[in-house]
Structures are given as C-alpha cells and as structure tokens.
Amino acid sequence: MKNSILNIQPLSTDLAALLLRLIFGGLFMYHGWGKLSNYEAMLGMFQDIIGIGIKPTVILVIFAEFFCGIFVLLGFFTRLTVIPIFITMLVAFFIAHGKDPFQVKELALVYLLLSIVIFLLGSGRYSLDAAFRKKS
C-alpha cells in the first residue's frame, strides 16, 4: 500500500481549495461585518488615501471584505471576486499601513498573498462555480 502522506502528489486539491476558501472567505466576512455594522464609526477612522473620498473608500472596503468574502466562501465567481480583496489588501499594505512597522501590516500581506493563491487555484470542485459549470 502506498503511503499517501509522504507522497508528493496532493491528497485532494479540491478539498484544499474548499478549506482555503472557507477560511479566507469567513475571515473576510468577519472583518467586513465589523465595518458594515459600525459604518458610521468607520467613516471617522478611514482616510481618503486613494483620492476618491472617505465614504466611497469605506463602501469599497466593505464590499471587498464582506460581500466578496461571501462570494469567495461560496465559490461564486471566485477568481473575479478575489480581485477586489487583492486590491484592498494591496492598498492596506503599501499605502494605508505603508509607514507602520511590519507587525502592524503583516496580516494585510498574508491576505494579499493568499488572495493570489486563491486566484491561481480557483474555486475547485466543491463550489458554486463547479455546480454552475455542470448545469451548462
């Protein structure tokens, strides 16, 4: 019998994609819900760092974190919906926290890198994307 754990082949790429999407999407939903439920307070905490105004900036961050987090979790247009998250984390790491110590902006970098992994990996077999492909 072949030892699956020591084999270099993936045990299940689709299961790994599902777990990654559930964790990543769930964390973004959590962060986005905090911003959505405290919208007025967020307006006072954000700055107009990209030149579009504070309200549009907060709305875009909430969209990226909460709504795109839901879509990634479900595997719905995964590659498309991870792009706003990638952009949000890019701005958070390099602009919003650009002058902060690495420990402050480390989480934004982790999310930025994970969004690249999800984009490359795709949604996998256990997703709404796969369910819609089967029907068409």
Side-chain angles (χ1 to χ4, degrees):
M1 180 186 279
K2 208 171 171 179
N3 189 339
S4 299
I5 294 175
L6 298 178
N7 191 339
I8 62 169
Q9 299 299 319
L11 294 175
S12 175
T13 306
D14 292 316
L15 184 58
L18 172 65
L19 290 174
L20 180 60
R21 279 192 358 262
L22 291 176
I23 294 166
F24 184 83
L27 286 170
F28 267 94
M29 283 176 48
Y30 172 76
H31 289 293
W33 177 252
K35 290 176 179 69
L36 181 62
S37 61
N38 296 309
Y39 175 74
E40 293 298 325
M42 290 295 114
L43 291 175
M45 295 174 63
F46 272 66
Q47 298 175 6
D48 184 19
I49 55 177
I50 57 174
I52 62 171
I54 294 173
K55 279 188 178 184
T57 299
V58 173
I59 290 169
L60 287 173
V61 169
I62 290 170
F63 170 76
E65 291 185 2
F66 185 70
F67 295 103
C68 290
I70 291 171
F71 292 151
V72 168
L73 185 135
L74 296 172
F76 183 68
F77 293 116
T78 304
R79 286 192 171 117
L80 184 63
T81 57
V82 82
I83 292 171
I85 295 172
F86 172 80
I87 293 169
T88 302
M89 293 301 102
L90 196 68
V91 170
F93 184 78
F94 288 107
I95 299 173
H97 297 291
K99 295 179 182 175
D100 292 342
F102 183 74
Q103 292 81 5
V104 174
K105 58 185 178 178
E106 180 179 10
L107 187 59
L109 179 64
V110 170
Y111 286 146
L112 174 69
L113 297 174
L114 285 175
S115 67
I116 295 169
V117 172
I118 291 172
F119 184 84
L120 295 173
L121 185 59
S123 57
R125 183 185 325 170
Y126 308 114
S127 65
L128 289 179
D129 290 342
F132 292 142
R133 274 192 304 261
K134 285 181 185 178
K135 290 182 180 181
S136 58

